[in-house]
Structure formats: C-alpha cells, structure tokens
Amino acid sequence: HAKTAVVGVSGGLDSTLALLVTVRAFDSLNIDRKNIIAVTMPGLGTGNKSKNIAIHLMQKLGVTMREVSIKKEAVNHLKLLNHNMIEKDVTYENVQARMRTMYLMNLANLEKGIVLGTGDMSEIALGWSTFNGDHMSMYSLNSGLPKTTIKALVKYFISVYPQVKNELKKV
C-alpha cells in the first residue's frame, strides 16, 4: 500500500540512475512525480558540485525535493564515539551512511512509502556497502547492475529526459 517512493540523491551515478528509473516508472504508470520524494543529505565531505547536480536533477525532474544536512548529527555521533574527526576512516564514512539510511527509512514510514536503494553490483561484490547503511532498502534498483552498465544507462537517459542533459553529462 505504498503511496510514495523515497530515494537518496547524492549527484553520483548510482543515485542518479535510481532517480531516473523511478521517474520513468512513475511516468509509465501515470503517477504524479510529486510522489517521488528525493532527498539530498549533505554530510561532512559533501562537495558543492555533487550537491548542486542532485538539486538541479530533482528540480528539473519535478519530484518532491528535500535537503537535510546530516553534518551536525554526524559530528555529535562521532564525538560520542571519541573519534578524532581528523582521520577520514571507515567509522567516519559509515556513521554518515547509516544516518542517511536511518533518515530515509523513517521518512518512508512517515510518508507511507518505500526506500529505493542505490547501491550497485560492483560495490556489493567488492564489499563497499555499509552494513546497516547504504546496502539497506525496501527495493534495490541497481543491485544487479555493474558500475559500467549504470554509467551507460545514465548516458542513455539523456535522450529520454533532455531537460537534465547538462546534469547527466556531469555525473
């Protein structure tokens, strides 16, 4: 009985493809794109380039857009762990991945939706997914696709959604 689809959008290849496929599915089913809740969650190392790509994609595709900074919560959690916050180690990175997933899961519950995963087969095979973080979703769109295929599909979507051509070329 899901009413919405929730997807985290970073401005990278994987989340871009997940967003594009979701938009395509909603268009095919004549479901209003506003029922796609796309969230960018800038963290401690988020660059302006990727964040701006994510924002422009969401705006131009006409989905419901949210921006939620996780910086403050990540810093607080790292302090609780007595992390020095200088070393950009696995703890530093995974705290942020888990916070993003927690937010998406809770938002999906609130909005009567499902979380669409963005992790790809290459990351899964190499063990680059964060346990209880970005490997979790209610439906994982990219899990059977290697990174090379994801790159090719994002390029293909330039012809499907030309209004985001500039953003897709930057991803």
Side-chain angles (χ1 to χ4, degrees):
H1 301 285
K3 305 288 184 218
T4 63
V6 176
V7 61
V9 182
S10 68
L13 278 170
D14 296 335
S15 66
T16 296
L17 181 61
L19 177 61
L20 291 166
V21 169
T22 304
V23 168
R24 181 69 174 203
F26 274 55
D27 288 352
S28 296
L29 296 169
N30 293 314
I31 300 172
D32 189 341
R33 291 182 186 181
K34 292 294 179 189
N35 292 318
I36 301 169
I37 303 171
V39 186
T40 185
M41 296 168 278
L44 300 172
T46 303
N48 284 332
K49 180 184 174 190
S50 59
K51 179 181 158 189
N52 288 338
I53 290 170
I55 290 169
H56 290 135
L57 278 170
M58 293 184 284
Q59 289 171 336
K60 290 181 178 182
L61 290 170
V63 301
T64 298
M65 183 183 99
R66 296 205 184 166
E67 181 178 341
V68 177
S69 174
I70 62 161
K71 291 176 186 174
K72 182 178 169 184
E73 287 79 9
V75 167
N76 287 339
H77 194 78
L78 288 166
K79 284 181 181 178
L80 286 172
L81 294 170
N82 293 319
H83 191 279
N84 65 23
M85 287 186 276
I86 296 168
E87 190 176 350
K88 310 299 190 262
D89 60 3
V90 68
T91 304
Y92 182 90
E93 295 298 332
N94 287 348
V95 159
Q96 295 176 84
R98 290 183 181 115
M99 291 191 146
R100 287 182 176 109
T101 300
M102 183 177 68
Y103 179 81
L104 293 173
M105 291 287 187
N106 291 334
L107 179 62
N109 290 158
L110 181 68
E111 297 290 345
K112 297 175 180 50
I114 61 171
V115 174
L116 301 177
T118 62
D120 67 60
M121 185 170 63
S122 299
E123 291 175 348
I124 294 164
L126 294 169
W128 288 351
S129 298
T130 300
F131 185 73
N132 282 334
D134 57 358
H135 89 290
M136 295 183 64
S137 63
M138 282 101 170
Y139 188 78
S140 186
L141 294 168
N142 300 340
S143 62
L145 301 173
K147 187 71 84 178
T148 52
T149 301
I150 289 177
K151 187 174 185 177
L153 285 169
V154 168
K155 186 176 180 181
Y156 158 78
F157 269 102
I158 290 172
S159 65
V160 178
Y161 298 116
Q163 70 269 31
V164 291
K165 175 174 121 178
N166 292 334
E167 288 75 17
L168 297 183
K169 286 183 176 183
K170 294 176 189 174
V171 173

